[in-house]
């Protein structure tokens, strides 16, 4: 078992997690899928507090994808209700730990109540800087890239920017993730080894970590294990190993 004391130097600045496996966790015990989502919120609390303990500055959680709108209506309703309730319940944790809440995605697609609750917590935590917790809600990377291209195109059309000045920085500024650094470590639970339309641009040089643990079973020690694993890797960014040392 890895403890936070073992994770001294070289902490990833930005950790992103694809929280997967709630449905299978519930099915395994003969429960409705919604029970899995409900129990998934316990794992969210574990990683949020664990990330603060590990001194991670940016934690981004994939909570609901643009594709998840294709799920049965009842499951979507349950998920949105769980979102509202857990935002209410977790707000004190954010204040206690000085966590700034942030959200990315097509937030206008969320039910009114969820949106209201979300913006209230975002507003009340906006001064905190110990950690930025970003929830990806109704988020899809391709949708984000389309929105970005549209916004930049309008600026080109209105002569606000000239095409040859479009660079990585300009694109970063127009993404939902504007202001967040690139992802250093991407974790996915439940044994699936795919990206599912999450942060395609932002994970260009992220280290990927897959674990078979189902999301509701994910504890802070699993987060520490992923960070420890990350710390054993050599990030070369195209260079040779010799150039780094
Ligand atoms: C992740 O768990 C939660 C969301 C996608 C909202 P799933 O609901 O995808 O669980 P599995 O993959 O069916 O086990
Ligand atoms: C990805 O999980 C989205 C979230 C974790 C919110 P899914 O369970 O929706 O992914 P796929 O469809 O199996 O790839
Ligand atoms: Mg899934």
């Amino acid at each position: 078992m890895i403890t936070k004391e073992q994770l001294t130097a070289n902490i990833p600045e930005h950790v992103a997690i694809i929280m997967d496996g709630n449905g299978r966790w519930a099915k395994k015990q003969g429960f409705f899928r919604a029970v899995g989502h409900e129990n998934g919120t316990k794992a969210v609390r574990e990683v949020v507090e664990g990330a603060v303990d590990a001194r991670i500055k940016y934690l981004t959680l994939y909570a609901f994808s643009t594709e998840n709108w294709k799920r049965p209506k009842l499951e979507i309703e349950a998920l949105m209700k769980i979102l509202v309730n857990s935002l209410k319940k977790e707000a004190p944790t954010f204040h206690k730990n000085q966590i700034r809440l942030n959200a990315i995605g097509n937030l206008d697609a969320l039910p009114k109540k969820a949106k209201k609750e979300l913006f209230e917590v975002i507003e009340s935590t906006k001064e905190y800087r110990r950690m930025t917790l970003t929830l990806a809600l109704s988020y899809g990377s391709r949708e984000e890239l389309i929105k970005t291209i549209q916004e930049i195109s309008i600026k080109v059309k209105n002569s606000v920017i000239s095409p040859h000045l479009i660079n990585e920085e300009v694109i970063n500024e127009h993404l939902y993730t504007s202001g967040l650094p690139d992802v250093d470590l991407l974790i996915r639970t439940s044994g699936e080894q795919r990206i599912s339309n999450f942060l395609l641009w932002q994970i260009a040089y992220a280290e990927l970590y897959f674990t078979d643990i189902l999301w509701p079973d994910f504890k802070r020690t699993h987060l520490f294990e992923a960070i420890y694993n990350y710390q054993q890797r050599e990030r070369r960014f195209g260079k040779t190993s010799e150039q780094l040392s």
Side-chain angles (χ1 to χ4, degrees):
M1 204 165 96
I2 305 283
T3 60
K4 68 174 175 188
E5 287 73 26
Q6 285 166 271
L7 306 171
T8 44
N10 187 21
I11 302 296
E13 187 183 16
H14 187 176
V15 175
I17 307 182
I18 302 174
M19 312 183 287
D20 199 12
N22 293 351
R24 277 163 283 168
W25 184 92
K27 198 173 167 189
K28 238 174 57 182
Q29 351 208 3
F31 296 139
F32 289 114
R33 295 179 58 85
V35 180
H37 297 314
E38 192 67 59
N39 279 273
T41 62
K42 293 181 191 158
V44 171
R45 174 175 284 185
E46 284 276 332
V47 295
V48 168
E49 294 187 337
V52 169
D53 269 359
R55 284 163 287 117
I56 287 164
K57 297 303 286 181
Y58 298 90
L59 176 67
T60 300
L61 303 177
Y62 203 6
F64 194 86
S65 73
T66 47
E67 289 73 24
N68 288 148
W69 289 113
K70 295 177 200 155
R71 291 197 178 189
K73 194 166 163 263
L74 271 178
E75 180 169 347
I76 296 174
E77 280 172 8
L79 274 164
M80 293 301 154
K81 214 161 133 196
I82 289 166
L83 172 70
V84 174
N85 289 340
S86 56
L87 281 169
K88 278 191 185 141
K89 219 168 105 191
E90 294 309 318
T93 315
F94 299 154
H95 293 296
K96 189 182 106 199
N97 293 293
Q98 306 218 307
I99 296 168
R100 173 169 74 112
L101 186 70
N102 177 37
I104 55 172
N106 178 18
L107 305 178
D108 280 332
L110 297 176
K112 238 181 164 160
K113 213 169 156 192
K115 224 172 104 178
K116 182 173 169 276
E117 196 62 43
L118 183 66
F119 282 110
E120 271 175 26
V121 183
I122 288 175
E123 179 61 27
S124 71
T125 60
K126 68 176 184 206
E127 304 297 339
Y128 297 146
R129 286 295 176 273
R130 188 156 169 209
M131 183 174 85
T132 297
L133 169 64
T134 302
L135 297 181
L137 289 165
S138 188
Y139 174 88
S141 195
R142 288 188 169 179
E143 191 263 338
E144 177 184 43
L145 290 169
I146 291 167
K147 174 198 84 85
T148 298
I149 292 166
Q150 286 173 341
E151 285 177 9
I152 296 174
S153 303
I154 291 169
K155 288 190 182 169
V156 168
K157 187 171 165 238
N158 295 336
S159 306
V160 177
I161 184 167
S162 62
H164 72 274
L165 289 180
I166 298 171
N167 55 17
E168 288 192 14
E169 216 177 319
V170 171
I171 292 177
N172 280 334
E173 277 167 16
H174 288 84
L175 294 169
Y176 289 129
T177 51
S178 157
L180 306 182
D182 276 352
V183 175
D184 297 302
L185 170 62
L186 174 71
I187 300 170
R188 183 170 190 149
T189 57
S190 87
E192 308 297 355
Q193 302 194 0
R194 54 176 174 260
I195 303 302
S196 303
N197 202 13
F198 192 40
L199 304 173
L200 299 178
W201 168 274
Q202 299 88 339
I203 61 165
Y205 252 110
E207 296 296 327
L208 309 182
Y209 180 87
F210 299 104
T211 166
D212 287 338
I213 309 256
L214 300 174
W215 180 250
D217 292 329
F218 200 85
K219 299 277 181 291
R220 72 175 68 195
T221 171
H222 299 120
L223 173 70
F224 296 161
E225 227 168 275
I227 297 169
Y228 186 79
N229 183 289
Y230 163 92
Q231 292 177 332
Q232 313 310 309
R233 303 186 191 186
E234 182 176 59
R235 302 185 77 191
R236 291 192 285 278
F237 296 100
K239 296 180 182 171
T240 68
S241 197
E242 291 69 29
Q243 283 177 296
L244 296 173
S245 55

